[in-house]
Amino acid sequence: MKIDRRGFLHAGALSGTGLLLGSRPASGWGLPGATSHPPLDPKRILILGGTGFIGPPMVQYALNRGHEVTIFNRGRTNTHLFPEVEKLVGDRNGDLTALEGRTWDVVIDNNATIPRWVRLTARLLREAAGQYIFVSSISVYAAEAKGYEYMDRPDLQRVRVNEASPVKALPEGFTGEAVTGDSYGPFKAL
């Protein structure tokens, strides 16, 4: 089966999420033709975002595994998706009221780019969930951490990073929350 970059990222996010949720590995991890298996322990999952980029495959994978899913977003993108899922509408930039007084087993934060959004949401949900999973990006790592091998052979390049690898910092004097090429990785690291 041939897979494109988006499919690869979706599969990677799903496999990581599946492992964290204690699921048995499924053939293909959310790729076309993947099989579904019942979860070892069904969870109540809140997915922040859920209708863009890696959100839809995450939601579908969780539903296929028998988990109960709630999504929280602004209600602007792909609103037709997942009519069977509870949808909470709000904005991480200031309106989290739909999340107040609720509980979940797991929160999956896959759409935050601004550190303040993560702090606000994590603070609000710290007593409301047993686990908070933040989906980051390889963009957090400093260039020297990536350790590319075979620079003359792009088809053989390998990235060598782990949790201890150095991460990017915001450029000196950078202020504000504008997401740019210089701030995206450092914001995710923060």
XYZ file of all heavy atoms in Angstrom, residues 1-108:
819
model
N 0.845 -1.172 0.000
C 0.000 0.000 0.000
C 0.892 1.237 0.000
O 1.819 1.337 0.783
C -0.877 0.001 1.258
C -1.616 1.274 1.443
S -2.500 1.496 3.027
C -2.905 -0.106 3.529
N 0.623 2.179 -0.853
C 1.374 3.429 -0.923
C 0.726 4.423 0.033
O -0.494 4.515 0.116
C 1.367 3.969 -2.343
C 2.283 5.148 -2.508
C 2.414 5.535 -3.954
C 3.362 6.715 -4.046
N 3.650 7.064 -5.394
N 1.533 5.187 0.755
C 1.020 6.138 1.730
C 1.669 7.497 1.496
O 2.865 7.568 1.229
C 1.266 5.625 3.163
C 0.624 6.538 4.195
C 2.720 5.450 3.437
C 0.610 5.949 5.584
N 0.875 8.560 1.599
C 1.421 9.894 1.439
C 1.796 10.462 2.811
O 1.591 9.836 3.847
C 0.439 10.812 0.699
C -0.874 11.010 1.428
O -1.008 10.584 2.596
O -1.782 11.597 0.823
N 2.368 11.663 2.843
C 2.828 12.280 4.094
C 1.688 12.427 5.086
O 1.834 12.119 6.256
C 3.457 13.644 3.785
C 4.005 14.327 5.022
C 4.684 15.653 4.654
N 5.273 16.266 5.806
C 4.637 17.075 6.630
N 3.369 17.352 6.435
N 5.249 17.601 7.670
N 0.527 12.914 4.622
C -0.615 13.113 5.515
C -1.047 11.780 6.126
O -1.310 11.675 7.313
C -1.777 13.775 4.781
C -2.987 14.025 5.663
C -4.022 14.840 4.929
N -3.649 16.223 4.863
C -4.092 17.139 5.713
N -4.906 16.820 6.653
N -3.713 18.387 5.593
N -1.099 10.729 5.313
C -1.462 9.410 5.810
C -0.459 8.899 6.832
O -0.824 8.299 7.841
N 0.827 9.161 6.579
C 1.864 8.757 7.511
C 1.696 9.470 8.851
O 1.772 8.855 9.906
C 3.240 9.055 6.914
C 4.376 8.766 7.855
C 4.794 7.462 8.061
C 5.011 9.791 8.530
C 5.836 7.186 8.930
C 6.041 9.526 9.404
C 6.452 8.226 9.601
N 1.452 10.797 8.808
C 1.259 11.548 10.045
C 0.025 11.066 10.795
O 0.045 10.922 12.006
C 1.143 13.051 9.746
C 2.422 13.702 9.249
C 2.150 15.130 8.796
C 3.497 13.672 10.306
N -1.055 10.814 10.063
C -2.274 10.307 10.708
C -1.997 8.974 11.389
O -2.392 8.760 12.532
C -3.388 10.132 9.688
C -3.978 11.425 9.221
N -4.857 11.482 8.178
C -3.821 12.701 9.624
C -5.202 12.736 7.969
N -4.574 13.490 8.832
N -1.321 8.077 10.688
C -1.032 6.759 11.252
C -0.156 6.880 12.492
O -0.383 6.199 13.491
C -0.367 5.874 10.208
N 0.835 7.756 12.441
C 1.710 7.951 13.593
C 0.963 8.496 14.789
O 1.137 8.036 15.922
N 0.110 9.476 14.559
C -0.676 10.042 15.659
C -1.619 8.999 16.236
O -1.780 8.888 17.447
C -1.462 11.249 15.164
N -2.229 8.220 15.374
C -3.162 7.192 15.844
C -2.450 6.101 16.622
O -2.941 5.647 17.655
C -3.909 6.580 14.662
C -4.886 7.502 13.959
C -5.447 6.818 12.724
C -5.999 7.928 14.886
N -1.289 5.692 16.149
C -0.592 4.617 16.849
C -0.145 5.091 18.220
O -0.282 4.370 19.196
C 0.582 4.094 16.033
O 1.557 5.080 15.840
N 0.368 6.322 18.305
C 0.762 6.854 19.603
C -0.415 6.992 20.534
O -0.357 6.635 21.716
N -1.514 7.488 20.020
C -2.721 7.626 20.829
C -3.217 6.258 21.262
O -3.581 6.055 22.420
C -3.818 8.363 20.046
O -3.317 9.643 19.665
C -5.063 8.540 20.880
N -3.208 5.295 20.362
C -3.665 3.943 20.701
C -2.828 3.324 21.794
O -3.354 2.705 22.719
N -1.518 3.499 21.725
C -0.658 2.949 22.761
C -0.926 3.607 24.100
O -0.977 2.944 25.129
C 0.816 3.126 22.372
C 1.277 2.293 21.183
C 2.683 2.702 20.772
C 1.213 0.810 21.507
N -1.118 4.928 24.105
C -1.384 5.631 25.351
C -2.731 5.256 25.946
O -2.926 5.303 27.142
C -1.302 7.150 25.133
C 0.110 7.653 24.881
C 0.077 9.083 24.375
C 0.934 7.564 26.145
N -3.686 4.892 25.104
C -5.008 4.514 25.593
C -5.096 3.038 25.955
O -6.157 2.554 26.316
C -6.079 4.857 24.546
C -6.254 6.335 24.281
C -7.285 6.550 23.183
C -6.639 7.080 25.536
N -3.992 2.331 25.863
C -3.974 0.935 26.263
C -4.688 0.015 25.305
O -5.233 -1.006 25.705
N -4.714 0.352 24.033
C -5.397 -0.472 23.048
C -4.469 -1.539 22.511
O -3.263 -1.375 22.473
C -5.873 0.390 21.876
O -6.750 1.380 22.320
N -5.044 -2.631 22.066
C -4.277 -3.641 21.345
C -3.964 -3.088 19.962
O -4.807 -2.443 19.354
C -5.103 -4.910 21.196
C -5.340 -5.635 22.469
C -6.064 -6.941 22.168
N -6.496 -7.543 23.390
C -7.760 -7.632 23.767
N -8.723 -7.175 23.005
N -8.071 -8.208 24.897
N -2.774 -3.329 19.443
C -2.459 -2.834 18.098
C -3.423 -3.378 17.059
O -3.762 -4.548 17.081
C -1.039 -3.347 17.841
C -0.472 -3.590 19.199
C -1.641 -4.004 20.057
N -3.857 -2.492 16.176
C -4.722 -2.887 15.062
C -3.892 -2.904 13.804
O -3.025 -2.067 13.620
C -5.879 -1.898 14.914
N -4.165 -3.825 12.937
C -3.448 -3.911 11.676
C -3.594 -2.601 10.928
O -4.688 -2.142 10.660
C -4.035 -5.063 10.870
O -3.850 -4.879 9.509
N -2.499 -1.948 10.612
C -2.529 -0.735 9.820
C -2.735 0.537 10.604
O -2.566 1.612 10.094
N -3.095 0.466 11.870
C -3.269 1.644 12.728
C -4.022 2.779 12.053
O -3.524 3.878 11.911
C -1.933 2.153 13.216
C -1.359 1.267 14.259
C -0.422 0.304 14.062
C -1.694 1.223 15.645
N -0.168 -0.334 15.236
C -0.923 0.219 16.224
C -2.566 1.933 16.448
C -0.992 -0.101 17.559
C -2.641 1.620 17.784
C -1.869 0.625 18.322
N -5.233 2.538 11.637
C -6.063 3.603 11.106
C -5.878 3.854 9.629
O -6.465 4.773 9.086
N -5.050 3.072 8.983
C -4.871 3.233 7.554
C -6.001 2.519 6.830
O -6.668 1.660 7.406
C -3.525 2.627 7.139
C -2.306 3.330 7.718
C -1.057 2.522 7.387
C -2.186 4.736 7.190
N -6.234 2.844 5.567
C -7.286 2.141 4.834
C -7.090 0.636 4.940
O -5.986 0.126 4.814
C -7.098 2.630 3.394
C -6.433 3.962 3.538
C -5.553 3.837 4.761
N -8.170 -0.068 5.218
C -8.107 -1.515 5.353
C -7.759 -1.990 6.746
O -7.668 -3.185 6.993
N -7.526 -1.066 7.686
C -7.175 -1.470 9.039
C -8.355 -2.154 9.698
O -9.501 -1.805 9.470
C -6.761 -0.250 9.868
N -8.058 -3.124 10.527
C -9.124 -3.811 11.240
C -9.374 -3.120 12.563
O -8.499 -2.473 13.127
C -8.758 -5.280 11.490
O -7.557 -5.319 12.265
C -8.568 -6.021 10.185
N -10.578 -3.275 13.077
C -10.927 -2.705 14.376
C -10.975 -3.814 15.409
O -11.394 -4.926 15.115
C -12.289 -2.021 14.305
O -12.233 -0.927 13.440
N -10.548 -3.500 16.597
C -10.613 -4.422 17.723
C -11.290 -3.693 18.872
O -11.100 -2.496 19.044
C -9.213 -4.835 18.168
C -8.449 -5.560 17.111
N -8.668 -6.880 16.824
C -7.482 -5.151 16.271
C -7.854 -7.257 15.858
N -7.125 -6.220 15.498
N -12.038 -4.403 19.696
C -12.638 -3.729 20.839
C -11.550 -3.252 21.801
O -10.498 -3.885 21.902
C -13.512 -4.812 21.491
C -13.072 -6.098 20.907
C -12.362 -5.810 19.626
N -11.761 -2.138 22.465
C -10.748 -1.629 23.393
C -10.634 -2.550 24.601
O -11.581 -3.255 24.947
C -11.287 -0.260 23.792
C -12.755 -0.365 23.600
C -12.947 -1.305 22.434
N -9.474 -2.531 25.216
C -9.302 -3.283 26.445
C -10.165 -2.684 27.547
O -10.716 -3.386 28.368
C -7.832 -3.280 26.866
C -6.867 -3.941 25.884
C -5.428 -3.741 26.334
C -7.182 -5.420 25.774
N -10.268 -1.376 27.573
C -11.021 -0.666 28.592
C -11.589 0.604 27.950
O -10.854 1.563 27.768
C -10.087 -0.317 29.753
C -10.793 0.383 30.897
O -12.020 0.255 31.029
O -10.080 1.060 31.672
N -12.874 0.614 27.578
C -13.418 1.810 26.917
C -13.210 3.065 27.765
O -13.383 3.039 28.981
C -14.907 1.488 26.766
C -15.000 0.009 26.860
C -13.881 -0.425 27.767
N -12.841 4.131 27.110
C -12.554 5.407 27.772
C -13.536 6.481 27.318
O -14.095 6.410 26.234
C -11.137 5.891 27.412
C -10.032 4.908 27.639
C -9.607 4.904 29.059
C -8.384 3.994 29.220
N -8.349 3.338 30.471
N -13.684 7.476 28.174
C -14.394 8.703 27.795
C -13.295 9.693 27.411
O -12.479 10.077 28.237
C -15.227 9.231 28.958
C -16.428 8.347 29.265
C -17.197 8.761 30.524
N -16.312 8.688 31.696
C -15.889 9.744 32.390
N -16.275 10.965 32.087
N -15.089 9.586 33.418
N -13.275 10.055 26.133
C -12.169 10.842 25.583
C -12.664 12.206 25.125
O -13.642 12.299 24.394
C -11.533 10.115 24.382
C -11.053 8.723 24.790
C -10.389 10.939 23.795
C -10.602 7.866 23.615
N -11.953 13.243 25.533
C -12.170 14.594 25.016
C -11.045 14.887 24.040
O -9.863 14.798 24.404
C -12.152 15.625 26.145
C -12.129 17.092 25.717
C -13.407 17.464 24.967
C -11.910 18.003 26.907
N -11.406 15.217 22.805
C -10.407 15.603 21.812
C -10.572 17.093 21.543
O -11.645 17.546 21.133
C -10.543 14.780 20.515
C -10.291 13.294 20.823
C -9.579 15.296 19.446
C -10.416 12.369 19.634
N -9.516 17.848 21.816
C -9.516 19.284 21.565
C -9.186 19.468 20.091
O -8.115 19.086 19.640
C -8.511 19.991 22.463
C -8.711 19.757 23.965
C -7.596 20.417 24.765
C -10.069 20.256 24.415
N -10.114 20.022 19.360
C -10.021 20.063 17.903
C -10.935 18.965 17.392
O -12.118 18.946 17.682
N -10.393 18.049 16.646
C -11.140 16.871 16.242
C -11.723 16.893 14.844
O -12.131 15.858 14.341
N -11.752 18.055 14.198
C -12.349 18.094 12.860
C -11.380 18.558 11.776
O -11.769 18.699 10.623
C -13.599 18.995 12.833
O -13.247 20.307 13.264
C -14.696 18.427 13.726
N -10.134 18.801 12.125
C -9.140 19.206 11.146
C -7.844 18.444 11.343
O -7.595 17.855 12.391
N -7.008 18.429 10.327
C -5.694 17.791 10.279
C -5.738 16.361 10.822
O -6.304 15.483 10.202
C -4.641 18.655 10.973
C -3.229 18.179 10.729
C -2.794 17.868 9.450
C -2.351 18.024 11.770
C -1.502 17.412 9.221
C -1.051 17.573 11.554
C -0.631 17.269 10.284
N -5.137 16.084 11.997
C -5.112 14.711 12.509
C -6.336 14.372 13.350
O -6.510 13.229 13.762
C -3.823 14.417 13.306
C -3.725 15.300 14.544
C -2.612 14.538 12.413
C -2.554 14.960 15.451
N -7.212 15.341 13.589
C -8.389 15.105 14.423
C -9.339 14.045 13.897
O -9.696 13.113 14.632
N -9.818 14.144 12.641
C -10.779 13.150 12.171
C -10.296 11.697 12.263
O -11.049 10.845 12.745
C -11.059 13.582 10.730
C -10.869 15.069 10.761
C -9.686 15.263 11.684
N -9.055 11.378 11.871
C -8.639 9.986 12.051
C -8.560 9.574 13.519
O -8.841 8.431 13.861
C -7.262 9.902 11.395
C -7.123 11.126 10.577
C -8.067 12.145 11.109
N -8.191 10.506 14.405
C -8.165 10.200 15.838
C -9.572 9.878 16.335
O -9.777 8.902 17.056
C -7.626 11.382 16.645
C -6.171 11.471 16.716
S -5.767 12.842 17.842
C -4.010 12.665 17.858
N -10.518 10.733 15.978
C -11.904 10.523 16.408
C -12.407 9.189 15.869
O -12.977 8.379 16.619
C -12.816 11.680 15.940
C -14.284 11.358 16.195
C -12.421 12.988 16.632
N -12.206 8.931 14.591
C -12.705 7.696 13.988
C -12.069 6.468 14.619
O -12.744 5.485 14.892
C -12.481 7.695 12.474
C -13.205 6.568 11.772
C -14.717 6.647 11.977
O -15.348 7.609 11.579
N -15.284 5.642 12.620
N -10.781 6.534 14.870
C -10.090 5.408 15.492
C -10.672 5.135 16.878
O -10.947 3.979 17.234
C -8.588 5.679 15.581
C -7.816 4.527 16.158
C -7.505 3.421 15.383
C -7.420 4.526 17.486
C -6.812 2.349 15.905
C -6.725 3.458 18.015
C -6.425 2.372 17.227
O -5.745 1.312 17.766
N -10.867 6.181 17.665
C -11.419 6.011 19.010
C -12.831 5.423 18.944
O -13.178 4.529 19.719
C -11.416 7.343 19.751
N -13.647 5.920 18.016
C -15.003 5.386 17.867
C -14.962 3.918 17.450
O -15.728 3.099 17.981
C -15.793 6.205 16.839
C -16.140 7.635 17.247
C -16.759 8.390 16.075
C -17.062 7.650 18.458
N -14.087 3.575 16.518
C -13.962 2.186 16.074
C -13.572 1.254 17.215
O -13.905 0.081 17.192
C -12.937 2.053 14.948
C -13.403 2.659 13.652
O -14.570 3.021 13.489
N -12.484 2.807 12.715
N -12.853 1.788 18.188
C -12.407 0.988 19.327
C -13.432 0.964 20.456
O -13.187 0.376 21.491
C -11.085 1.524 19.850
C -9.950 1.555 18.828
C -9.560 0.196 18.404
N -9.010 -0.496 19.531
C -7.985 -1.319 19.485
N -7.408 -1.549 18.349
N -7.551 -1.918 20.563
N -14.574 1.631 20.270
C -15.635 1.595 21.263
C -15.545 2.653 22.342
O -16.267 2.594 23.342
N -14.673 3.637 22.149
C -14.557 4.714 23.133
C -15.685 5.724 22.941
O -16.229 5.880 21.853
C -13.202 5.417 23.002
C -12.033 4.523 23.275
N -11.808 3.939 24.499
C -11.028 4.099 22.468
C -10.708 3.200 24.442
N -10.221 3.283 23.214
N -16.021 6.434 24.001
C -17.003 7.519 23.944
C -16.221 8.810 23.730
O -15.356 9.158 24.534
C -17.769 7.582 25.271
C -18.783 8.678 25.337
C -19.436 8.743 26.719
O -19.646 7.691 27.332
O -19.715 9.878 27.161
N -16.518 9.519 22.650
C -15.725 10.684 22.260
C -16.552 11.961 22.345
O -17.708 12.001 21.933
C -15.191 10.525 20.813
C -14.423 11.762 20.355
C -14.309 9.283 20.703
N -15.920 12.980 22.892
C -16.443 14.347 22.875
C -15.388 15.194 22.190
O -14.195 15.014 22.435
C -16.669 14.881 24.311
O -17.578 14.025 24.989
C -17.193 16.301 24.293
N -15.812 16.098 21.305
C -14.850 17.018 20.701
C -15.186 18.438 21.136
O -16.345 18.779 21.380
C -14.784 16.902 19.163
C -16.132 17.177 18.508
C -14.271 15.533 18.755
C -16.079 17.182 16.989
N -14.149 19.239 21.267
C -14.288 20.652 21.620
C -13.551 21.460 20.574
O -12.362 21.260 20.337
C -13.682 20.919 23.001
C -13.638 22.382 23.364
C -14.754 23.010 23.876
C -12.473 23.121 23.185
C -14.713 24.371 24.206
C -12.423 24.460 23.512
C -13.550 25.086 24.024
N -14.271 22.366 19.924
C -13.643 23.261 18.950
C -14.555 24.469 18.731
O -15.563 24.616 19.403
C -13.302 22.534 17.648
C -14.513 21.903 16.988
O -15.602 22.466 16.986
N -14.322 20.720 16.427
N -14.187 25.291 17.776
C -14.959 26.510 17.502
C -16.211 26.253 16.678
O -17.011 27.160 16.467
C -14.073 27.540 16.792
C -12.956 28.044 17.694
C -12.034 28.978 16.975
N -11.356 28.223 15.919
C -10.593 28.753 14.992
N -10.408 30.056 14.959
N -10.013 28.006 14.088
N -16.383 25.037 16.187
C -17.581 24.714 15.412
C -17.591 25.338 14.029
O -18.648 25.629 13.481
N -16.407 25.513 13.435
C -16.308 26.168 12.123
C -15.841 25.239 11.010
O -16.110 25.490 9.847
C -15.327 27.336 12.206
C -15.769 28.438 13.113
C -14.741 29.553 13.103
N -15.063 30.556 14.090
C -14.235 31.484 14.486
N -13.008 31.538 13.991
N -14.596 32.364 15.381
N -15.100 24.200 11.352
C -14.480 23.340 10.343
C -15.130 21.961 10.351
O -15.276 21.357 11.408
C -12.966 23.188 10.643
O -12.384 24.483 10.684
C -12.280 22.358 9.578
N -15.506 21.493 9.180
C -16.050 20.137 9.023
C -17.125 19.799 10.061
O -17.112 18.725 10.661
C -14.917 19.100 9.071
C -13.971 19.236 7.912
O -14.387 19.495 6.782
N -12.690 19.070 8.177
N -18.053 20.704 10.239
C -19.101 20.520 11.248
C -20.004 19.323 10.955
O -20.680 18.832 11.855
C -19.956 21.785 11.394
O -20.507 22.105 10.109
C -19.118 22.953 11.885
N -19.988 18.845 9.722
C -20.810 17.698 9.333
C -20.233 16.367 9.812
O -20.928 15.360 9.829
C -20.947 17.654 7.807
C -19.632 17.454 7.113
N -18.681 18.457 7.010
C -19.089 16.352 6.536
C -17.618 17.989 6.377
N -17.838 16.701 6.074
N -18.963 16.359 10.187
C -18.326 15.116 10.604
C -18.871 14.633 11.946
O -19.196 15.434 12.818
C -16.809 15.308 10.727
C -16.037 15.600 9.456
C -14.561 15.829 9.774
C -16.189 14.477 8.453
N -18.954 13.354 12.103
C -19.261 12.687 13.357
C -20.553 13.161 14.018
O -20.548 13.649 15.146
C -18.086 12.835 14.336
C -16.768 12.478 13.729
C -15.791 13.429 13.533
C -16.519 11.172 13.332
C -14.578 13.100 12.947
C -15.307 10.831 12.747
C -14.326 11.792 12.560
N -21.681 12.985 13.344
C -22.948 13.411 13.953
C -23.263 12.660 15.245
O -24.030 13.156 16.070
C -23.984 13.108 12.864
C -23.335 12.151 11.932
C -21.855 12.386 12.030
N -22.656 11.477 15.444
C -22.909 10.681 16.640
C -22.082 11.115 17.847
O -22.272 10.611 18.957
C -22.653 9.196 16.347
C -21.188 8.813 16.170
C -20.590 9.080 14.786
O -21.085 9.952 14.043
O -19.600 8.419 14.450
N -21.157 12.060 17.651
C -20.236 12.486 18.697
C -20.749 13.752 19.366
O -21.272 14.657 18.706
C -18.833 12.720 18.080
C -17.919 13.470 19.016
C -18.217 11.402 17.664
N -20.593 13.825 20.690
C -20.932 15.056 21.400
C -19.949 16.148 20.988
O -18.733 15.941 20.997
C -20.848 14.847 22.917
C -21.158 16.110 23.688
C -21.033 15.949 25.189
O -20.298 15.046 25.647
O -21.658 16.744 25.893
N -20.487 17.298 20.622
C -19.662 18.420 20.170
C -19.865 19.600 21.097
O -20.986 20.092 21.256
C -20.030 18.805 18.738
C -19.773 17.685 17.748
C -20.260 18.024 16.359
C -20.044 16.839 15.438
N -20.580 17.054 14.111
N -18.785 20.040 21.696
C -18.801 21.217 22.547
C -18.161 22.361 21.780
O -17.084 22.205 21.212
C -18.026 20.958 23.843
C -18.490 19.772 24.682
C -17.583 19.585 25.896
C -19.941 19.942 25.103
N -18.818 23.496 21.768
C -18.325 24.645 21.006
C -17.783 25.682 21.973
O -18.403 26.011 22.991
C -19.449 25.251 20.127
C -18.943 26.485 19.392
C -19.954 24.210 19.136
N -16.602 26.174 21.641
C -15.949 27.212 22.425
C -14.723 27.675 21.680
O -14.555 27.392 20.492
N -13.837 28.350 22.394
C -12.636 28.900 21.771
C -11.513 28.876 22.791
O -11.654 29.413 23.887
C -12.904 30.323 21.299
C -11.807 30.883 20.418
O -10.642 30.440 20.539
O -12.112 31.771 19.611
N -10.414 28.266 22.442
C -9.280 28.168 23.363
C -8.663 29.531 23.622
O -7.864 29.684 24.538
C -8.236 27.217 22.798
C -8.879 25.868 22.612
C -8.118 24.666 22.778
N -7.075 24.580 23.721
C -6.073 23.720 23.597
N -6.013 22.936 22.541
N -5.146 23.639 24.506
N -9.064 30.503 22.855
C -8.549 31.852 23.040
C -9.420 32.650 24.000
O -9.421 33.870 23.961
C -8.443 32.555 21.679
C -7.463 33.695 21.714
O -6.526 33.700 22.502
N -7.686 34.685 20.874
N -10.208 31.965 24.831
C -10.941 32.720 25.830
C -12.283 32.162 26.253
O -12.826 32.598 27.264
N -12.876 31.206 25.552
C -14.187 30.686 25.946
C -14.129 29.172 26.131
O -14.403 28.406 25.219
C -15.242 31.049 24.900
C -16.632 30.548 25.282
O -16.822 30.117 26.448
O -17.520 30.574 24.423
N -13.782 28.763 27.349
C -13.692 27.348 27.692
C -14.878 26.888 28.529
O -14.867 25.789 29.081
C -12.389 27.071 28.454
C -11.085 27.417 27.738
C -9.890 27.213 28.658
C -10.934 26.598 26.473
N -15.911 27.707 28.619
C -17.033 27.406 29.519
C -17.693 26.063 29.225
O -18.185 25.412 30.152
C -18.092 28.531 29.489
O -18.516 28.743 28.139
C -17.531 29.816 30.056
N -17.710 25.615 27.976
C -18.347 24.332 27.643
C -17.626 23.158 28.297
O -18.211 22.081 28.430
C -18.402 24.149 26.128
N -16.385 23.356 28.727
C -15.607 22.284 29.352
C -15.768 22.240 30.868
O -15.391 21.245 31.500
C -14.119 22.457 29.014
C -13.743 22.425 27.537
C -12.257 22.742 27.364
C -14.090 21.084 26.926
N -16.316 23.292 31.444
C -16.406 23.397 32.900
C -17.374 22.368 33.480
O -18.426 22.082 32.911
C -16.843 24.804 33.293
C -15.799 25.851 32.950
C -16.279 27.274 33.199
O -17.461 27.476 33.569
O -15.463 28.194 32.994
N -16.964 21.789 34.607
C -17.827 20.867 35.323
C -17.974 19.499 34.687
O -18.857 18.735 35.058
N -17.151 19.147 33.742
C -17.211 17.870 33.023
C -16.001 17.021 33.400
O -14.990 17.544 33.859
C -17.207 18.126 31.511
C -18.278 19.054 30.974
C -19.648 18.398 30.948
N -19.647 17.152 30.224
C -19.862 17.042 28.902
N -20.143 18.105 28.179
N -19.824 15.863 28.312
N -16.083 15.718 33.156
C -14.946 14.835 33.391
C -14.780 13.873 32.225
O -15.756 13.507 31.562
C -15.108 14.012 34.689
O -16.283 13.209 34.596
C -15.171 14.914 35.914
N -13.535 13.484 31.990
C -13.169 12.515 30.972
C -12.027 11.668 31.522
O -11.337 12.075 32.455
C -12.704 13.203 29.681
C -13.783 13.977 29.004
C -14.673 13.485 28.084
C -14.121 15.351 29.180
N -15.529 14.491 27.690
C -15.217 15.642 28.351
C -13.608 16.378 29.974
C -15.791 16.899 28.270
C -14.181 17.622 29.900
C -15.272 17.884 29.059
N -11.831 10.525 30.925
C -10.681 9.698 31.294
C -9.405 10.261 30.683
O -8.337 10.221 31.293
C -10.875 8.251 30.804
C -12.078 7.592 31.456
O -12.182 7.642 32.699
O -12.920 7.048 30.720
N -9.529 10.754 29.448
C -8.371 11.206 28.689
C -8.730 12.478 27.918
O -9.815 12.566 27.350
C -7.929 10.130 27.662
C -6.739 10.602 26.851
C -7.635 8.810 28.337
N -7.807 13.429 27.907
C -7.909 14.603 27.040
C -6.777 14.501 26.029
O -5.623 14.283 26.402
C -7.767 15.925 27.830
C -7.736 17.120 26.883
C -8.880 16.072 28.847
N -7.106 14.639 24.747
C -6.086 14.655 23.694
C -6.068 16.057 23.095
O -7.040 16.500 22.496
C -6.368 13.601 22.604
C -6.420 12.206 23.226
C -5.296 13.678 21.505
C -6.820 11.110 22.253
